[in-house]
Amino acid sequence: GPAADPFGGLARGGGLVFRGGGSNGTDADADADEFNATGTAVTAGQAAAIRAQSLVGTDRDFVWGFLLGFFVGFVMLFWVWMPTVPHRQKLGILTGICFHMALRMIKENEDGGGGDDLGVE
């Protein structure tokens, strides 16, 4: 069987926060040389689909982005402009930040509101 990967795929180009991207789809002969995880060659159509999937991202990318956006906050806005971050992870980051802000506003309103300068009771 295949040897266990002690790094959980990190050595193959994946990252903890964003995927490592080798080819950006500009070299024309890259499709013939691409292989899948088992080492078998993939067709040009399959290679294009794999590239498109890595740009869009997976549901796991969205959840990871949501958690980072929720707990780390506005610092994660820098990741939104990185071209190597999958689209779904960017959406997750923005959703996490918005959800965190909404919870804070609800909590402040329940605690009696602390910043109402309108003077209306």
Side-chain angles (χ1 to χ4, degrees):
D5 185 5
F7 299 106
L10 295 178
R12 288 194 304 264
L16 289 176
V17 177
F18 53 88
R19 297 191 192 292
S23 166
N24 61 2
T26 55
D27 48 341
D29 62 341
D31 291 339
D33 299 324
E34 297 207 25
F35 296 91
N36 64 13
T38 61
T40 57
V42 296
T43 65
Q46 289 171 331
I50 292 169
R51 245 187 243 114
Q53 177 66 25
S54 69
L55 291 175
V56 173
T58 62
D59 292 340
R60 185 179 183 184
D61 291 325
F62 178 84
V63 171
W64 187 233
F66 180 85
L67 292 173
L68 287 171
F70 185 81
F71 290 110
V72 178
F74 286 104
V75 176
M76 292 306 298
L77 286 177
F78 291 109
W79 263 257
V80 173
W81 286 288
M82 286 190 175
T84 55
V85 177
H87 182 71
R88 285 191 184 168
Q89 190 170 18
K90 292 176 183 182
L91 291 177
I93 290 169
L94 295 173
T95 306
I97 291 172
C98 291
F99 190 70
H100 183 82
M101 289 173 47
L103 286 179
R104 287 183 99 179
M105 288 192 300
I106 290 171
K107 183 181 178 217
E108 287 178 10
N109 286 339
E110 287 178 353
D111 291 343
D116 191 50
D117 294 335
L118 297 176
V120 179
E121 290 292 316

